[in-house]
Amino acid sequence: MPGNPEEIKMVSNAMANVPRRKMMAFLTGGEKTVAEIGEAVGKSMLDYHLKILEQAGLIEVAEGKVRLTEFGKNFMEGKKETPAEKADLSGAKPVEIAEVRQLLPCIADTTKLRIIANLAPPLGGALKALEPLFPRGRYSERIGALIIQRGDVLTTLYGAGNVTMTMIKDESEARENLQKLKETINEAIARGVAPAPREKVRVEPMEIYKYLPQTNCGECGEQSCYSFAIRLMNGEVSLDLCTPLKDPKYRQNLEHLQVMAEYI
Ligand code: SF4
C-alpha cells in the first residue's frame, strides 16, 4: 500500500486525470477486460493510463483483465459520498478571513499577485455543500478544497482553512474579494441549507495555456502548447505528458494546472 511521499505522489498524479478517474470508477463495478474499459472510457492512450494506475498500486492487470487492488478498492471507498457530506451546513459556523499571510508575484503574470489567506474556523467537508454558490465553483475530493474561478482570479479554499488566490491586482482587490467570499459563505451558513446546483462553466484552453511553459517544445507530441491545452481540456491527453512541467522552476505552474484540471 502506498505510504511514502513518492508513492503518495504517484497515486495523486494517477488520479489527477479524467480518463483515469473514469477507469477507476468503472472498475468499482468489478473486474473488466481491457477491451471493456476501452469501450466504456475511450481507447485513447488506454495502455498508458492503465500503466500509470498500475504503477500507483491502484489496479492489477493480468492476461487482458483489470481489477482494483485492495488499496485501489479502499481508495475508491474513501471517495464515496456519505449522506453527512452532502449539502449539510447545519454544523458550520460563520467564518472570518483571519489574515492575508503572504503576497507573492503571480506565476502566470508577474504584474499580478498571489495571496495566501486563512479562513477561520475551518469549514472542512462543509465546503462541498457550498460548491453550488459559485457558477465556477468545484469541490475537489482529491485535494479536499473548493476551487472557484471568477474572471482570471482562481481561489482555492481548503478544508483546513487556508485560502489561495491568484491573479490579483493589488492587496485591496484581494481584501475586497475575500470580504465578498466571506459574506457569500456566511449567508449560506445563516440559512443553513445548501443552494440549488447551478450550471457549471468550463475552463477555456487559454486559461490552461497561460500556465504551460509556452515553449512549444513538442515533447508532449503536440506542435504547440496551445494545441496541448485544447487536447488537455478535451480529456484527450494528461498533464504528465508535458515533461518540462517537472522542472522545479515550473512547480507553481504545475500545482495551478493540477487544480484547474479538476474542472476538466
Ligand atoms: S511538452 Fe509542454 S512545453 Fe512542450 S509543447 Fe507540450 S505543452 Fe508545451
Side-chain angles (χ1 to χ4, degrees):
M1 180 182 292
N4 70 45
E6 201 47 48
E7 288 168 336
I8 291 167
K9 199 169 151 197
M10 280 174 80
V11 173
S12 176
N13 285 342
M15 294 303 287
N17 171 275
V18 176
R20 292 199 286 269
R21 286 203 292 271
K22 286 183 183 165
M23 285 174 197
M24 288 296 289
F26 186 53
L27 285 165
T28 55
E31 182 180 276
K32 302 281 186 286
T33 64
V34 173
E36 284 171 333
I37 296 172
E39 285 301 317
V41 181
K43 292 174 185 154
S44 172
M45 301 172 68
L46 182 56
D47 289 343
Y48 169 78
H49 289 312
L50 290 174
K51 195 167 169 217
I52 297 283
L53 290 171
E54 192 176 23
Q55 283 173 347
L58 291 160
I59 62 166
E60 291 166 343
V61 185
E63 297 173 354
K65 292 189 177 157
V66 187
R67 69 177 77 87
L68 295 181
T69 59
E70 278 309 306
F71 170 69
K73 282 181 199 162
N74 291 338
F75 182 87
M76 293 308 286
E77 195 61 31
K79 296 275 164 210
K80 280 189 189 162
E81 287 180 359
T82 63
E85 285 176 323
K86 276 188 187 166
D88 182 7
L89 293 173
S90 55
K93 296 200 168 55
V95 293
E96 282 297 329
I97 301 293
E99 55 179 329
V100 177
R101 286 193 279 120
Q102 290 181 50
L103 293 165
L104 307 166
C106 190
I107 48 182
D109 179 347
T110 49
T111 65
K112 300 274 177 73
L113 297 173
R114 177 171 190 256
I115 66 115
I116 299 175
N118 206 40
L119 196 78
L123 283 163
L127 273 177
K128 185 174 184 174
L130 298 172
E131 182 191 80
L133 282 174
F134 307 95
R136 277 194 159 192
R138 184 172 170 91
Y139 183 78
S140 164
E141 298 279 359
R142 190 174 62 81
I143 61 172
L146 177 62
I147 303 156
I148 303 160
Q149 189 166 32
R150 197 166 142 260
D152 275 347
V153 178
L154 192 70
T155 305
T156 309
L157 288 95
Y158 293 88
N162 41 328
V163 182
T164 63
M165 201 177 273
T166 59
M167 297 291 277
I168 289 289
K169 199 171 59 205
D170 53 32
E171 191 173 335
S172 76
E173 187 189 26
R175 291 191 183 281
E176 199 181 306
N177 282 3
L178 288 166
Q179 180 64 22
K180 279 189 200 147
L181 188 65
K182 183 189 93 169
E183 287 168 7
T184 307
I185 291 172
N186 284 347
E187 274 172 29
I189 289 174
R191 287 198 303 272
V193 289
R198 291 185 190 174
E199 195 180 330
K200 291 287 180 294
V201 185
R202 279 169 64 108
V203 172
E204 297 302 325
M206 185 51 84
E207 295 167 43
I208 295 171
Y209 173 77
K210 273 194 288 198
Y211 291 89
L212 289 171
Q214 301 180 18
T215 57
N216 302 325
C217 69
E219 281 185 37
C220 57
E222 300 299 320
Q223 288 191 342
S224 68
C225 295
Y226 192 73
S227 54
F228 180 79
I230 292 172
R231 296 201 63 204
L232 185 70
M233 212 197 71
N234 292 336
E236 294 167 1
V237 294
S238 69
L239 199 52
D240 42 18
L241 286 182
C242 176
T243 46
L245 280 174
K246 292 184 179 134
D247 189 312
K249 73 180 176 191
Y250 292 123
R251 186 180 58 81
Q252 286 187 23
N253 297 53
L254 180 60
E255 279 173 13
H256 194 93
L257 285 162
Q258 283 170 337
V259 167
M260 289 184 91
E262 295 292 334
Y263 283 94
I264 296 168

